[in-house]
Amino acid sequence: MEKLGINLGFLVVQTINFLIILLVLKVWVYTPLQKALKKRREAIDKGLEDARVAAEARENAERDAAGILAEAQNNAAQLIRDAKEKAEVAGREVKAGVEADIARTRREAVVEVERERERVLGEIRTNVASLAIAAAQKLIGEALDEKRQHELVAEFFSGIKGGKVTILEGNELKGQKAEVVSALPLTAEEQKVIHGEMLSKLGESAAIDFNVDPKLLGGLLVRVGDTVIDGSVAGQIQNLRDTLE
């Protein structure tokens, strides 16, 4: 070894020193450094995992938030639609109520007008009877049987003579509904007589309506389905006019 220029003792000492230094480095530097690096790597890995979990949580939160927002928007839209439909229904109900009130008021007004019309026409009938009797008495210059004259006027307007409805005699009628039209309102007793005779021809289940049309002048007009029996004064005048032409 000496020939090679190597001092064995020095080499041994240097080797021992190197091993000591290596041991010291391993114990006091390398091992702590590995541990530190390991902890650092674990911390980084944990940080990355936490970041990944946080990112997933954020994505889930964003997705949940988007779903909640969409659901809220849908619910809001549905609430708006429901409110609009309810408003429309309420509006239609209010409109229907107003229209029903208007229709009812109109019907009541029509009924009231018809009632007043019949009352006035009833008074006219009474006045016509009185005027006819007075005119007849003045014309012949003597007093007439006033009771008989009233009966004649009643026959003129009601078409009832001797307790019978003259225009119904000899006529066959079929139907479930009939209309009796007079020039002026009939009395309750006259309607009772006419009603009874109509039912005897049509059957007890038939419906009889009484109406007033001053254009008839006098007498009665009866409609049963397509059948019309015209015993009115206006009808007789028209027949006479047609005959003369």
Side-chain angles (χ1 to χ4, degrees), residues 10-228:
F10 182 77
L11 178 61
V12 172
V13 172
Q14 291 295 325
T15 303
I16 292 171
N17 288 337
F18 178 76
L19 292 174
I20 291 171
I21 292 171
L22 182 62
L23 180 62
V24 169
L25 289 174
K26 180 179 180 181
V27 173
W28 296 101
V29 177
Y30 181 72
T31 299
L33 183 60
Q34 277 189 327
K35 290 181 179 179
L37 291 174
K38 183 179 180 181
K39 289 182 180 179
R40 179 63 177 171
R41 186 167 54 251
E42 290 176 351
I44 292 173
D45 291 341
K46 188 175 184 303
L48 292 174
E49 181 64 19
D50 292 342
R52 185 186 64 80
V53 172
E56 290 181 355
R58 184 183 63 188
E59 291 177 359
N60 293 334
E62 290 176 351
R63 186 165 52 251
D64 292 342
I68 293 172
L69 179 60
E71 184 178 359
Q73 290 175 341
N74 291 334
N75 291 337
Q78 184 62 43
L79 289 174
I80 293 172
R81 287 193 296 271
D82 292 343
K84 184 178 179 180
E85 290 177 0
K86 290 180 180 179
E88 290 176 352
V89 170
R92 288 194 296 269
E93 290 177 351
V94 170
K95 182 180 179 180
V98 172
E99 290 177 349
D101 291 340
I102 293 174
R104 183 172 61 255
T105 302
R106 184 181 293 116
R107 289 194 300 270
E108 291 174 353
V110 169
V111 170
E112 184 62 28
V113 169
E114 185 62 25
R115 186 182 296 115
E116 180 65 15
R117 174 174 175 268
E118 291 189 1
R119 185 189 67 79
V120 172
L121 291 175
E123 292 181 356
I124 290 175
R125 174 174 171 173
T126 301
N127 294 334
V128 167
S130 300
L131 289 172
I133 293 172
Q137 289 177 346
K138 186 173 182 180
L139 182 63
I140 64 176
E142 61 182 41
L144 299 174
D145 184 349
E146 189 169 340
K147 179 180 178 181
R148 176 55 182 162
Q149 293 301 312
H150 278 291
E151 290 177 353
L152 291 174
V153 173
E155 290 176 9
F156 176 81
F157 287 114
S158 68
I160 300 174
K161 184 175 182 179
K164 297 290 183 180
V165 183
T166 56
I167 65 171
L168 296 180
E169 295 180 358
N171 288 299
E172 295 293 332
L173 298 176
K174 292 182 180 180
Q176 291 298 313
K177 186 175 182 180
E179 180 186 20
V180 178
V181 186
S182 58
L184 293 176
L186 300 173
T187 64
E189 185 61 30
E190 291 168 346
Q191 288 189 11
K192 182 178 179 181
V193 172
I194 296 171
H195 191 271
E197 286 206 33
M198 294 295 294
L199 292 183
S200 67
K201 290 181 175 292
L202 299 176
E204 294 296 326
S205 62
I208 314 299
D209 292 332
F210 290 92
N211 292 310
V212 175
D213 184 359
K215 292 192 296 291
L216 297 183
L217 301 179
L220 298 177
L221 184 146
V222 176
R223 294 189 184 94
V224 181
D226 295 332
T227 302
V228 178

